[in-house]
C-alpha cells in the first residue's frame, strides 16, 4: 500500500476515474449510429497515463481491445514529444502494422488530459465500425490475402488540432466507407466520448491534487501486478503444453496449428508460441498485440478474475513468438478475422493450464466469432445498407456447472443483435432464431449450445459474406467430456440447400432465398457417466437434446429413468 495515501482515499479516487470510463462507454453507445455499437456494444473506453500505461478500463469493455489501446499509446508517444501535444487535440489510428491496432474496423481514438496545465494522460476509446472499405462489404469476409484489400489503413493522425477539426482527414475517412453517413455518426460518437472524458477528468482535478492522482494511478498498477505475481506463484512450477488447429484461412490452407508451451517458475510465467504455423495468406493472422490481449485475458480469468484490468496484468505477459508466424504476423499480412484466432489461442492456454489448475478451466468454447454480413439496396428508400454481426455460440462446461448457451465468449462480450433491431433497421426478415439441438458437448457438466439464425432479404436481392471457425474442428471437451457441435452456413433457395464454405465471400442471395447461420456449441467438462440422472432428465425436458443424443451419451442415466421404482414390502 502507498506510504502517503490511505486505502479509503485510493478507493474513492479510483472509483471516480472508473465512473469516467463507464460514463464515456455509455455515451459512445447511445450516440452511435450503427447497430454494431449502439445495440451490440462492440466498443471500449479507458484512461492511460502520460507514459501510455493503462490505468482503468470501463467495466463493459472488451478484453480484445486492451492491447489495441496500449498499442495506440506506444505509437503516439513514439511519434510526438509531450510538449507537442496540446489541449483540444484528438488522435486517431487503426492500422495493426504501424499504429498498434489489431484489425482495421477497430478505430482507436485518444484525447490528451491536462490538469493544472500539465499533460497527465489520455482518454481513449475504440469502436468496431461496420465497414471500413476494402474489397468486401463489412471488411471482414474471407478471401483477402493482404491488408491493402481489407479497407482504409489509418496511421496515427491528429484529427483535431487544438480543438479544430481537420475536415480533409475526416473527408478521406468517409470517402472510403460504404455507408458514409453511418460512419460519420460513429466517428463523432467516439469524438464526443473523448470530449466528455476530458471534461469529467478536469472535474476530478478540481477535487484532488495532481500528485495524489499520480500516486493513486501508480498504486493501482502496483496492486494488480503484485496480485498477479502472487497468483502465478500459486500455480505449480512446471512446463505445460497444448496445441489446437484453426479450420482454414479462407484461401486453401487448412488445419493450421497453434502450439503453446507454458513455463511456470515461481512468480514468472512464459508463454512460448514457437512452432505455431507461419503467417497464412488468409486474414486470420494475429498481430502481436492481439496475442498479448489473449494472454492477458487468460491470465486474469484463470488465476485472479477479481483484480483490476490494467497495466499490471499486461506487464506480467511474457510471450515468445516467432516474427512472421500466425501469432506475430508481419506486414502486409491480412488480419481482419484475427478475433477467431485469438479465441482459439485462449482455448489453447486453457488446455495447457488444465493439469495445473483443473478446477478453474472449462471445455473448449465455440472458439469463434461467427461473422455474418448482409448488404444491398434497401427497397424502402433506395439507399445502400449493411448489416454486420458476429454471433455467439456455446460456452464450455465448468467444474461445477453446465456451459452457457448462445453467448459471446472469452475476449469479446458483445451482445447478439435482437430480432427487432434487425427487422427495424434493415430490409431483412429473421425466419427463425434459436438453439441448435445436440450442439452442447456431453459431460458431467455439459457444454453450451450453439445458435441458429435464418435470415432472408425482403423485397430485394442481397449479398452475403461470412467467416466461421470450429466449422470442421469441433470444440473439444475436457477431462473425458464430449465435444460440442460444429457450425455451418447454408444457402436455401428454390433449388434446395447449399452448404457454403467456412469463409464465404460475395454470395448472391436472391429474394425468396435465405441464409442459415449456425454457430458452434462447446465442449463439456468431466466424463458423461458422472452426470447426475436429474441433470439428464433436465436435458430431456429442455428440448435442447434429442432422445437419441441422450441415449448415446448417458445410457445408464436414461436406463435408470425407465426402471420402475419398487416399493419396500
Amino acid at each position: 500500500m502507498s506510504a502517503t495515501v490511505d486505502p479509503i482515499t485510493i478507493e474513492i479516487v479510483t472509483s471516480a476515474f472508473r465512473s469516467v470510463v463507464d460514463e464515456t462507454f455509455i455515451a459512445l453507445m447511445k450516440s452511435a449510429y450503427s447497430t454494431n455499437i449502439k445495440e451490440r456494444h462492440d466498443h471500449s473506453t479507458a484512461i492511460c497515463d502520460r507514459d501510455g500505461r493503462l490505468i482503468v478500463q470501463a467495466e463493459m469493455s472488451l478484453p480484445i481491445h486492451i492491447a489495441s489501446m496500449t498499442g495506440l499509446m506506444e505509437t503516439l508517444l513514439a511519434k510526438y514529444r509531450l510538449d507537442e501535444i496540446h489541449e483540444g487535440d484528438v488522435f486517431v489510428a487503426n492500422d495493426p502494422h504501424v499504429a498498434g491496432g489489431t484489425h482495421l474496423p477497430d478505430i482507436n481514438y485518444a484525447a490528451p488530459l491536462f490538469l493544472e496545465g500539465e499533460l497527465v494522460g489520455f482518454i481513449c476509446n475504440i469502436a468496431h465500425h461496420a465497414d471500413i472499405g476494402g474489397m468486401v462489404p463489412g471488411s471482414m469476409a474471407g478471401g483477402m490475402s493482404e491488408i491493402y484489400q481489407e479497407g482504409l489503413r489509418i496511421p496515427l493522425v491528429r484529427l483535431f488540432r487544438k480543438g479544430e477539426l481537420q475536415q480533409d482527414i475526416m473527408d478521406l475517412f468517409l470517402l472510403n466507407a460504404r455507408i458514409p453517413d453511418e460512419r460519420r455518426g460513429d466517428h463523432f460518437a467516439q469524438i464526443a466520448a473523448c470530449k466528455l472524458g476530458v471534461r469529467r477528468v478536469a472535474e476530478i482535478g478540481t477535487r484532488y491534487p495532481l500528485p495524489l492522482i499520480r500516486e493513486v494511478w501508480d498504486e493501482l498498477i502496483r496492486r494488480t501486478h503484485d496480485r498477479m505475481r502472487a497468483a502465478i506463484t500459486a500455480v505449480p512450477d512446471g512446463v505445460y503444453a497444448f496445441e489446437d488447429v484453426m479450420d482454414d484461412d479462407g484461401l486453401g490452407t487448412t488445419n493450421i496449428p497453434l502450439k503453446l508451451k507454458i513455463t511456470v517458475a515461481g512468480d514468472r510465467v512464459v508463454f512460448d508460441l514457437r512452432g505455431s504455423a507461419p503467417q497464412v495468406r488468409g486474414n486470420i493472422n494475429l498481430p502481436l498485440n492481439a496475442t498479448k490481449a489473449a494472454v492477458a485475458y487468460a491470465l486474469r480469468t484463470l488465476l485472479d478474475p477479481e483484480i483490476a484490468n490494467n497495466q499490471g496484468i499486461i506487464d506480467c505477459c511474457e510471450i515468445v513468438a516467432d516474427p512472421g508466424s500466425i501469432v506475430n504476423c508481419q506486414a502486409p499480412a491480412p488480419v481482419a478475422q484475427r478475433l477467431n484466432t485469438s479465441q482459439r489461442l485462449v482455448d489453447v492456454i486453457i488446455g495447457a493450464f488444465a493439469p495445473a489448475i483443473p478446477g478453474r478451466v472449462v471445455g473448449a468454447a465455440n472458439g469463434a466469432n461467427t461473422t455474418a454480413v448482409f448488404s444491398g439496396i434497401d427497397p424502402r428508400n433506395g439507399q445502400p445498407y449493411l448489416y454486420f454481426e458476429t454471433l455467439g455460440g456455446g460456452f464450455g462446461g465448468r467444474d461445477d456447472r453446465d456451459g452457457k448457451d448462445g453467448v459471446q465468449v472469452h475476449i469479446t462480450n458483445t451482445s447478439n443483435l435482437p430480432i427487432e433491431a434487425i427487422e427495424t433497421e434493415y430490409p431483412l426478415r429473421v425466419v427463425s432464431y434459436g438453439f441448435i439441438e445436440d450442439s452442447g458437448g456431453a459431460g458431467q457438466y455439459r457444454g453450451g449450445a450453439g445458435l441458429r439464425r435464418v435470415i432472408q432479404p425482403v423485397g430485394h436481392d442481397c449479398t452475403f459474406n461470412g467467416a466461421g471457425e470450429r466449422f470442421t474442428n469441433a470444440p473439444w471437451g475436457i477431462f473425458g467430456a464430449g465435444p460440442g457441435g460444429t457450425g455451418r452456413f447454408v444457402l436455401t433457395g428454390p433449388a434446395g440447400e447449399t452448404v457454403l464454405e467456412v469463409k464465404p465471400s460475395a454470395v448472391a442471395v436472391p429474394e425468396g432465398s435465405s441464409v442459415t447461420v449456425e454457430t458452434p456449441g462447446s465442449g463439456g467438462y468431466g466424463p458423461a457417466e458422472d452426470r447426475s440422472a436429474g441433470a439428464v432428465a433436465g436435458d430431456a425436458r429442455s428440448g435442447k437434446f434429442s432422445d437419441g443424443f441422450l441415449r448415446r451419451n448417458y445410457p445408464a442415466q436414461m436406463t435408470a429413468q425407465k426402471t420402475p421404482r419398487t416399493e419396500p414390502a
Side-chain angles (χ1 to χ4, degrees), residues 24-46:
T24 55
F25 182 96
I26 298 298
L28 203 169
M29 178 186 77
K30 289 184 175 292
S31 302
Y33 279 36
S34 67
T35 55
N36 194 53
I37 301 172
K38 68 183 180 182
E39 297 281 359
R40 298 192 61 247
H41 313 154
D42 196 347
H43 64 288
S44 299
T45 58

Side-chain angles (χ1 to χ4, degrees), residues 271-315:
F271 295 82
D272 188 344
L273 288 154
R274 289 174 295 186
S276 296
Q279 65 188 51
V280 291
R281 289 182 63 232
N283 58 1
I284 64 169
N285 299 293
L286 287 181
L288 188 59
N289 272 342
T291 296
K292 187 181 295 185
V295 171
Y297 163 83
L299 271 178
R300 179 173 181 254
T301 53
L302 291 173
L303 303 187
D304 191 348
E306 300 302 319
I307 61 176
N309 205 26
N310 63 36
Q311 191 70 34
I313 297 174
I314 298 172
D315 290 344

Side-chain angles (χ1 to χ4, degrees), residues 35 109 115 214 223 284 312 319 338 375 447:
T35 55
Y109 272 85
L115 295 177
R214 283 183 169 149
R223 285 182 176 185
I284 64 169
I319 299 169
R338 91 291 185 231
S375 60

Side-chain angles (χ1 to χ4, degrees), residues 444-489:
Q444 180 182 4
Y445 298 101
R446 68 163 179 84
L451 291 173
R452 178 185 292 111
R453 182 175 266 172
V454 181
I455 296 177
Q456 63 181 196
V458 177
H460 72 298
D461 302 341
C462 74
T463 300
F464 172 74
N465 295 297
E469 266 295 326
R470 293 287 192 202
F471 278 32
T472 57
N473 293 283
W476 38 264
I478 199 165
F479 301 129
T486 54
R488 64 176 189 161
F489 296 122

